[in-house]
Structures are given as structure tokens and as C-alpha cells.
Amino acid sequence: MRPPFASPLLRDAVLVAGIAGVLAFPFVGLLLTTQGTAPTLSARFPEFAGAVVLIFFGRLGISAARRGHILFPIVLGVVMATVGAFSLLFETTGMAADSAAPWHAFVPGTFLATVASAGGVAIAVVAGRNHLLRDSVPVARKPLPMKQLLLWTGVALAGVAIVLPLLPAVDRRLIDVATLVLTYVMLGWGLNIVVGLAGLLDLGYVAFYAVGAYSYALLSVTFGWSFWVCLPLAGALAALFGILLGFPVLRLRGDYLAIVTLGFGEMIRIILLNWYDFTNGPDGISNIGRPSFFGFQFAAKPAEGTESFHTLFGIAYDPVHRLIFLYYLILALALLTNAFTLRIRRLPVGRAWEALREDEIACRSLGVNPRNTKLSAFAIGAMFAGFAGSFFATRQGFVSPESFTFIESAILVAIVVLGGMGSQIGVAVAAIILVGLPEYFRELQEYRMLAFGMGMVLIMLWRPGGLLTHREPTIRTRSQPASA
Amino acid sequence: MGHGDGRAHFYVMDYFAQQFINGISLGAIYGLIAIGYTMVYGIIGMINFAHGEIYMIGAFIALMVVVAFGIGEGGLVIVALLSALLVSMALTSLYGWVLERVAYRPLRGSQRLAALISAIGMSIALQNYVQLTQGARVKTLPPIIQGGFEFQFGDTDFIVRLSTLQIMIVLVTIALMAVFALLIARTALGRAQRACQQDQSMAALLGVNVDRTISLTFVMGAALASVAGLMVTLYYGVIDFFVGFIAGIKAFTAAVLGGIGSIPGAMLGGLLIGFTEAMWSGYFSIEYKDVATFSILVIVLIFLPTGILGTPEVEKV
């Protein structure tokens, strides 16, 4: 039976639009500018009114669709989408620029129009789906064999990743984005050891990434050492930093640890920014050595006495070779991280991490040394960040403190938590969603971070346990049933 | 310096006095923000990561009201400031309420990290919302409260300044602290808050409306943060969409330093942080003042994990 459609919906929509209107008025309805030294305030009422009307109809449509109404939300959604699409058309064809036209005052900005059309479509689709599902009897679904499914998804993802650069439809841009995503996948897997396995919330992981990047940058620029020599050194230095920073603070409890690590992350960034003699301050370090294919440069004209990659294989020079090489380099590093994690989870130290995450007091009474165990997780996590950091430095050829802000740490923690805390595939999927997708919305640059933040909140509300909630102990004793 | 050896001593004292005054006013502002962190952490045990953004929003609204009144027109200044205070408190409280309602309440009872991630997401979203709608450039306000006292100790030519604004900041902070201390100690709402802090399910069984109490905690924290926002706008005369981040971290440090969950502790922690920052900037280097703050946080947490006025937490099996 359908609930009667009447005033509660309307009242709710008015209330929501009213609150949103009050909240948005100072920021959307007014604009603060500075002319000379004097601040001035100007009004932007059309945008404000447009936003409030949009929120009203959006809320009305969403709650009607949720309550099982069909015709009304579909009509509303279609109307919203049409109005939004027409406004977009006006905007893009420049008709709106004709300010004398009578409709000028009613055409909202591009952002509102986009939200209106997308929201309208979403409401109509949800209501339509309700209509289709109306008469179907809910079928009891068989629980999916999660472990197998995850395994095959992982194998499929790895397979796609390996053949990706060889596919014909793939261009430079996609390889670039994929390399970026893989960097975050690797960092996510590294952080997963700390957060997911050992249960230590680290909000300053970017510090170790920065240590790795600067180690390689400085060693390469000062001594001219090659990437392959510096890579282990960068990892070792980052791990050393992990131990130094972790030693005093790892006995702190969850949230305190989070804020202290955040503090460390900021401290490293401030030091990089201000220690001008050593790090070149805000100008950063440029001309960092590019990676070579085991000594063979990626250059059209190699230096005297060396051979280049393309002459080695007898193929024509193509700058994309370097990109593909970088892609495979980070893929190998990421897979190494993954293999390491999967193996170490079965070793005593890995089991101790997971046990410590679940119950520290019990662990202590069973003779696990919490400090050393946590420290090992912290150091190993830091080491992988160091590897990723030196890859970042060699890929960019330039490092500056700009790249190591808190937002990077926040993105990484979000990737691990959204991935489901401890799930390796979850981390990869979350990295694709959080880092890969936004790259394709570069045109909406300004709205990107807004959408990113709201996306974090919405995904958390939708799935508080992460995308792939999977928190089973890696090892079980035989007497226990497997699906406890 | 142009002083004789005998005078250098006075110069040192004067300089110290000046940094002391600056530190107290800065600390009062941090303390007001820190109360929001400490109350929320005390009652639901989460770091409200978006609290710094709430403070930034408070500062923006306050600046808008002041500008709407037109600056520097005699007696209007008092009216403008009072309206800015009230409007900003009201709207910012509404932001705090909606924040809890939308982003935190549905996640109560989920894993701890879920709420923290949601809070970080909200912090990023609010920052970018303000950047998008108001632009990334800094907003300035010429000084509208001028005057003050000047002291000269001994026969040095170093003048210690104590501005009217600094006195105002400290007085307003003390007044608000007194009101809040009374609110927590004497009213039904305060009792409900203390009950929820100790045991939420027991409080609910005894008829305390837990949801409402938590909402009001957020509202109170946001209102205090908005006052801090107004005062920072007047004090520094410059704000932008990013001011909430670093101020938020420092205020959280203050809350931890003072003992999280304790309101006098938050104020004390705020003063200590403001003080350290002023002294560090005055005597060492202004670039590393944030490093000094974080170092204090680390040192306190290692040697005094429950903060100065906090109660030790016993972990049970």
C-alpha cells in the first residue's frame, strides 16, 4: 500500500529548504570583496534564490521517491532535469550573456544547472526503479562466497593493470592517471599495514612520503646517484623516521595518536619549507634524475658513451616509452607492497598486529610486546611510503613542500577506511574512486574538492564499515567454524 | 639597540611584558575554540575535525555583518559589533547543529573511524564551499577598535602596548567562561551533559534526551567558536577560507594539553598554547612557531597523557 502523499512531505521540504536557505544566505547570497583596503558587500540574490528552490524541489523529490511514490517524483525529476539542461544550454551557447533578455534573471549558474539536471535524473531513476520493483517479491539472496569473489576480483584487477598500457585505446593521459592512481594504491597499501592491520590511526603518513621524495631528490641532485641506488636508501630513511617518530608516541590511544601524527606531518612540512639551505625551501628541488631502464636512458639523444632505451631494442624513439616504464615501475612497487602484506599477515608479527588491533590488553597478557610490535608496523608502513616518495620524485623531476600537505594524508586515510580497513582490494577500488575519477573532472576543478569532501561524508553514511567490509582474522584455529 | 648595558635589562623585561600581553589575547581565542573540541570529545568521544571550519564560518559571518553596518561611523561601531556577535553566534550555531545532524548522528554507534572520516570530509567540503562562494583571496578589515594604553618601564624607549581590543578579548572570554561554567554546573542542560558524558545509556534510561543533549553540545561549541572568529577578525583584520585548519589543530592541542573533557582545562591549555606561540615568535623564529606548538603537544602526551586537568582514563577489559 502506498502511503498517502500529502503535507508531511511538503512540510519537510519547506523546513529543509528553509534551514538550507538560512545557512547559505551569507555565503551564497552575499559576496565579500576587498576594494583597496575597504571591504565591501554585494548581493547575489538570483543565485541564492535558485539554490533554495533547487533544494526545495530536490528534497521533495527525494523524500517522495523514498516513500514509494512513483508518478510525482518521476515528473518532478524529468522537469528538473529539463530545466537544468536548458539552463546549461543557455549558459554554454552564450544566450545568457545577453543581459537584456527577459529570462536572464531566471537562468542560474552552470553549477546549479548541472546539479539540477543530475539530481532530476537521479530522482526519476530511483522512482522508476521503485515502480519496477513494486510487484516483485523480495527473494532471499544467497550469501556470496566473499573470499573467492574478492580473490577473483583481485586477479582480474591485476590482469587489467598489467595489460593496460598495451591496449590500443589507451592514450598518454590514461597512462598518466593510472600511474597516479597506482601511486595512491601503493601508499594506501602501505598505510593499510599501519591503520588496517595494526589499528594505529596515522594522520601524518604523508611525512614519510615526503622523507622518501626528498631523500631521493637530495641524493640524486647532490651526488648524482641513480634511482636504483637511492630507492632502498629512501625506504630505509623513511623507516628510520618512522621509528624515531613512533618510538615516543606509539603508546598513545587511537585519537591522540591521530592528532600527534598529524602534528608530525605538519612539522616535517614546515621544516622542509623553512630549512632553506638544505631543502631549498618553497622553491623546491628541480632537475631530479629521471629513472633509467637499468642504465639505459629514455632520451632521444643519449649522453656520450651511453646507450638509449630505444636503440637497445632497435625501435623508434617515442616519449611515451618513459611513461609506460614509469607505469610498470609503480605497478611493480605496488604489487611488491601487496605481496609483502599478504605474506607478513601470516607470519607471527603480522598476526600480532591484528591481535593488537582487536585487543591490546589481552595481547599484553599473552606476552606480546606492544611497543615493538606497533613500531615494526609503523616502520614498515613508513618504508613503503619512502619507496613511493622516491618514485614520486623521479616521476615529477621536481619536489616541493606543496605536494606534502595534510590533505594528502586525509585522502590516504580515506582510501584505507573507505576500502574497508584491512581489505587490499578495497584499498585499490577506493583509490580508483577517490583519485582516478576526480582526475577526469579537471574541468570542474573548482568543484572537485567540494565534491570530494561531500563524497567522503556520503560514502561513510552509506557504508560506515567501508566499501568492502571484511574483517576476518587471517588465521583461524581449525576447531572454529569458518563462518563464525 | 642603542641602549647602555644597564638598560638592556629593562628592555628585556618590557619585551617580555609585550609578548605576555599578546600571548594572553591569542590564548583566550584558542581557548574559546578549544572548548568546542573538549565538550564534544567529552560527550561522544570523537574529534570534531570540522570544528576549525565552524570557527572560520563564524569569522566570515561576523565580518559580513560588520561590513554591512559600514565601518568606522562613530557610535555605530558598538551596535555593529553587538549585531555581528549575535548574528554570527546564531548562524554558526545552526551550522554546528546541522553538521552533527547530517554527518555525525547517523554514524553514532558505527566504528570510531567512520565518524572521524566523515568529519574530515565535512572539513574539506566546508573549506571548499567557502572558497567557492567567497573566493580564495584574503578578506581584510581595517582596525575599527583603536586606542589603548601604553606603558614605559624605567628609562628605556621601548613602549609596551595594551590595546583596548586586547582588553576586550580577555574580558569577553572571561565573561563567556563564567556563563558556561554556570551553565554546566547549575542548569538542567549542564546536568544532562555531565550525565551523558559518564554513561549515555544510563542517562537515557533516566529520562535524559541524549540526542538533544548532544545537539546542544555542538550548538554551544559552535557559538563559542563564532565568538573566537569575530575576535580574530577584529584582532588580525585578515581572514580567508583556510584559517580554520591551523587554528583548529592548535585549539585541539590546547584541549588535549588542558585535559580533554575539562572546560577549565581547555581554557588553560589555550592560554598556554597562545603564550608559547607568542614567546616563540618573539624570541626564536616566527616560521617555526607551529613546530613549537606541536612539540608541546607531543611532550605533554608522553609525560602527562591525560593533560593538566584531565582525569585518568582506566581501560577495562
Side-chain angles (χ1 to χ4, degrees), chain A residues 157-445:
Chain A
L157 274 180
V160 170
I162 288 170
V163 297
L164 184 79
L166 311 175
L167 297 177
V170 169
D171 54 353
R172 289 181 66 134
R173 176 149 159 67
L174 184 67
I175 295 178
D176 244 7
V177 172
T179 309
L180 184 74
V181 170
L182 278 174
T183 314
Y184 277 88
V185 170
M186 176 174 179
L187 284 167
W189 279 339
L191 186 60
N192 204 9
I193 296 176
V194 183
V195 179
L197 296 189
L200 305 164
L201 182 53
D202 183 355
L203 281 182
Y205 193 62
V206 77
F208 307 124
Y209 186 44
V211 168
Y214 268 85
S215 309
Y216 173 57
L218 287 169
L219 289 173
S220 154
V221 170
T222 321
F223 302 113
W225 291 358
S226 87
F227 177 74
W228 297 104
V229 177
C230 296
L231 184 71
L233 285 177
L237 271 171
L240 185 69
F241 260 80
I243 292 173
L244 285 180
L245 297 188
F247 191 74
V249 300
L250 276 178
R251 61 179 174 159
L252 299 174
R253 283 192 333 135
D255 294 345
Y256 286 127
L257 182 68
I259 218 81
V260 168
T261 47
L262 192 162
F264 277 142
E266 283 296 293
M267 271 158 95
I268 297 254
R269 193 181 62 85
I270 295 168
I271 291 170
L272 290 178
L273 201 59
N274 290 304
W275 194 0
Y276 208 91
D277 304 330
F278 188 60
T279 65
N280 208 19
D283 303 338
I285 301 171
S286 46
N287 296 324
I288 300 170
R290 294 301 199 156
S292 57
F293 185 77
F294 304 103
F296 299 99
Q297 302 291 323
F298 289 95
K301 294 194 185 78
E304 200 63 37
T306 60
E307 202 176 348
S308 182
F309 176 77
H310 66 281
T311 52
L312 177 73
F313 285 93
I315 44 176
Y317 173 73
D318 187 345
V320 86
H321 289 158
R322 190 218 301 270
L323 290 182
I324 293 177
F325 175 70
L326 282 172
Y327 174 83
Y328 278 119
L329 181 60
I330 188 66
L331 181 64
L333 284 172
L335 289 178
L336 177 80
T337 315
N338 185 30
F340 183 89
T341 311
L342 290 181
R343 292 306 302 165
I344 206 165
R345 278 175 86 153
R346 290 163 197 282
L347 294 180
V349 63
R351 286 190 244 169
W353 290 341
E354 285 184 274
L356 210 57
R357 174 190 73 190
E358 299 299 332
D359 194 334
E360 181 165 348
I361 296 175
C363 276
R364 217 180 288 170
S365 57
L366 289 172
V368 174
N369 181 337
R371 194 196 53 212
N372 290 0
T373 312
K374 287 178 178 179
L375 213 51
S376 61
F378 216 62
I380 289 173
M383 179 183 75
F384 285 117
F387 290 156
S390 49
F391 172 78
F392 173 82
T394 193
R395 175 176 175 231
Q396 302 284 330
F398 170 75
V399 289
S400 79
E402 284 277 286
S403 313
F404 308 105
T405 52
F406 167 70
I407 193 87
E408 302 294 321
S409 293
I411 290 174
L412 286 169
V413 171
I415 285 175
V416 172
V417 176
L418 289 182
M421 296 270 293
S423 161
Q424 297 288 94
I425 296 165
V427 167
V429 173
I432 293 171
I433 294 176
L434 284 185
V435 181
L437 274 189
E439 280 303 305
Y440 280 95
F441 294 99
R442 282 262 170 210
E443 298 74 33
L444 298 171
Q445 180 72 8

Side-chain angles (χ1 to χ4, degrees), chain A residues 19 22-28 30-34 36-41 44 111 195 201 203 248-249 251-260 262-264 266-267 269-271 273-276 359-362 406-407 410-411 413-414 417-418 421 446-447 449-450 452-454 456-457 460-461 464-466 471, chain B residues 41 45-47 49 57 60-61 63-65 67-68 71 91 94-95 97-98 102-104 106-107 110-122 124-126 128-130 132-135 137-142 245-246 249 252 256 260 287-288 290-291 294-295 297-298 301-303 305-306 313 315-317:
Chain A
I19 291 177
V22 172
L23 289 183
F25 177 73
F27 292 97
V28 182
L30 300 174
L31 178 64
L32 204 55
T33 42
T34 305
T37 55
T40 50
L41 208 55
R44 288 186 296 196
F111 179 63
V195 179
L201 182 53
L203 281 182
V249 300
R251 61 179 174 159
L252 299 174
R253 283 192 333 135
D255 294 345
Y256 286 127
L257 182 68
I259 218 81
V260 168
L262 192 162
F264 277 142
E266 283 296 293
M267 271 158 95
R269 193 181 62 85
I270 295 168
I271 291 170
L273 201 59
N274 290 304
W275 194 0
Y276 208 91
D359 194 334
E360 181 165 348
I361 296 175
F406 167 70
I407 193 87
I411 290 174
V413 171
V417 176
L418 289 182
M421 296 270 293
E446 308 158 54
Y447 303 104
M449 287 317 284
L450 179 68
F452 178 80
M454 282 166 54
M456 263 167 90
V457 177
M460 247 22 288
L461 294 180
R471 198 170 177 176
Chain B
Y41 195 94
M46 73 166 280
I47 301 175
F49 207 88
I57 280 172
F60 263 87
I61 297 173
L63 178 58
M64 283 174 178
V65 177
V67 174
I71 319 144
L91 278 175
L94 192 59
Y95 265 97
W97 183 77
V98 169
V102 170
Y104 303 155
L107 290 173
S110 319
Q111 52 155 332
R112 281 171 79 93
L113 277 181
L116 185 68
I117 296 294
S118 180
I120 293 175
M122 264 296 170
I124 296 172
L126 284 174
N128 284 279
Y129 159 67
V130 173
L132 264 176
T133 52
Q134 297 295 319
R137 294 181 61 185
V138 294
K139 313 289 172 201
T140 54
L141 181 72
F245 176 67
I246 203 81
I249 294 177
F252 183 79
V256 173
I260 202 136
E287 292 88 13
Y288 286 108
D290 296 346
V291 174
F294 292 132
S295 311
L297 176 69
V298 175
L301 281 177
I302 292 169
F303 294 106
T306 50
E313 208 169 313
E315 211 176 323
K316 290 180 195 152
V317 182

Side-chain angles (χ1 to χ4, degrees), chain A residues 109-127:
Chain A
T110 323
F111 179 63
L112 282 183
T114 315
V115 173
S117 36
V121 169
I123 290 171
V125 165
V126 168

Side-chain angles (χ1 to χ4, degrees), chain B residues 14 150-160:
Chain B
D14 294 354
E150 295 186 341
F151 304 98
Q152 215 166 352
F153 299 109
D155 52 351
T156 59
D157 52 4
F158 187 86
I159 298 166
V160 179

